[in-house]
Amino acid sequence: LRQHGYVTMVLSTHGSLLLEHQMVLHAVSNNVDAIILFPLQDDRESVSYLEHLSTPLLLMDRGVDGISCDQVMIDDCAVGKLAAASLLSRCAPPYMYIAGPEYNRSEHARRSGFLDTLRAAGVLEHQVRILPHEKMTDAIDHGTVLDLLTPVTCSGIFCFNDDFAYQVFYALAMHGYRVPGDVSVIGVDHVRQHFRYLPPLSSIGQVQENNMADCAVQLLLGRLQNPDSQISVKVLPVALFDENATST
């Protein structure tokens, strides 16, 4: 965007719906040329308000049903399906899913894709342990991630994002568990492609030729140049980047 003469103002909501409403009003009051919003779970109030303004709006990473504006996101349901398929091919149940925040629409799609695929393969409900987001973040803050995982009875762990996956990876490794020898771990975002000093971790991320940021910029620039162009919703494909954190 900077290359096209735009200055970017970044406003963080820290997961607060109230802050999101305030930040939206702040952005509008500053007469910005356009807004890219990562909406909290179904924040119809903020998005509906922006939808009726002349300011171009793009929803990124997660959409809101019934809203008519440009949107770019990855296929979160496919993320969960890929994770489940990978674990099913590598190790037998039981499994664990470490969830994302409930306000995040991606959480619901990933969990649904994961559980539906396991269920279709005959995995029973009691064979999948779901660890709530709040418990995981609290364990990270207090350095008690392994306590949260023990007894380590699951053979595979799917984490909402790579941040959680690396926390699990380090906690298990520091206490003598082999990843992937004893436990398979899968994250989401494939952050290691940008930070090569991180240890190998199996992760699901965007297909390289369909970068979400590039796609968002192209859509936004197109909207700024032609405000009346047709609304575009881009759901980008994902792939499993298997970097030796799932056992064979």
Side-chain angles (χ1 to χ4, degrees):
L1 287 173
R2 189 179 300 114
Q3 293 176 357
H4 292 270
Y6 293 100
V7 176
T8 305
M9 178 171 61
V10 179
L11 304 175
S12 177
T13 65
H14 301 286
S16 166
L17 197 60
L18 176 60
L19 267 180
E20 180 159 299
H21 296 163
Q22 293 173 344
M23 295 302 180
V24 164
L25 293 174
H26 181 68
V28 172
S29 69
N30 278 272
N31 296 314
V32 294
D33 294 294
I35 293 176
I36 298 176
L37 179 65
F38 294 75
L40 298 180
Q41 173 68 12
D42 224 13
D43 180 13
R44 302 189 65 81
E45 183 177 342
S46 292
V47 178
S48 295
Y49 168 70
L50 291 170
E51 184 186 18
H52 292 92
L53 298 179
S54 59
T55 306
L57 169 66
L58 183 141
L59 300 185
M60 193 165 177
D61 197 37
R62 41 195 177 267
V64 175
D65 291 336
I67 297 299
S68 180
C69 69
D70 297 322
Q71 302 179 38
V72 180
M73 64 200 77
I74 64 170
D75 190 341
D76 281 302
C77 188
V79 168
K81 290 179 179 179
L82 268 176
S86 178
L87 291 181
L88 286 166
S89 69
R90 306 302 180 95
C91 52
Y95 305 124
M96 176 185 289
Y97 172 56
I98 302 181
E102 285 295 323
Y103 62 75
N104 190 321
R105 188 187 182 101
S106 298
E107 153 60 22
H108 299 270
R110 291 177 192 177
R111 184 192 301 197
S112 176
F114 183 65
L115 296 180
D116 287 351
T117 302
L118 293 181
R119 193 178 300 114
V123 177
L124 302 178
E125 185 176 344
H126 74 271
Q127 294 179 298
V128 184
R129 178 187 173 192
I130 298 178
L131 193 63
H133 175 265
E134 294 76 13
K135 287 190 175 182
M136 183 61 178
T137 54
D138 185 66
I140 292 173
D141 291 342
H142 293 88
T144 57
V145 173
L146 187 69
D147 294 340
L148 194 62
L149 301 176
T150 53
V152 182
T153 57
C154 58
S155 60
I157 301 175
F158 171 43
C159 301
F160 176 75
N161 56 32
D162 280 353
D163 182 28
F164 284 179
Y166 274 112
Q167 293 286 346
V168 169
F169 181 98
Y170 288 129
L172 291 173
M174 288 177 63
H175 291 83
Y177 292 93
R178 295 172 301 145
V179 178
D182 298 315
V183 184
S184 294
V185 178
I186 300 177
V188 181
D189 291 331
H190 194 213
V191 297
R192 190 171 181 268
Q193 66 179 316
H194 304 297
F195 305 101
R196 301 305 296 180
Y197 54 81
L198 291 171
L201 175 74
S202 295
S203 182
I204 298 168
Q206 303 170 49
V207 177
Q208 296 300 318
E209 56 269 24
N210 291 283
N211 183 277
M212 186 188 298
D214 291 342
C215 187
V217 168
Q218 291 170 9
L219 275 181
L220 195 61
L221 291 174
R223 178 65 55 196
L224 287 164
Q225 294 166 6
N226 186 4
D228 297 322
S229 60
Q230 185 176 355
I231 296 296
S232 181
V233 177
K234 302 287 188 181
V235 180
L236 305 180
V238 293
L240 173 66
F241 297 88
D242 196 347
E243 296 188 338
N244 199 34
T246 47
S247 59
T248 55

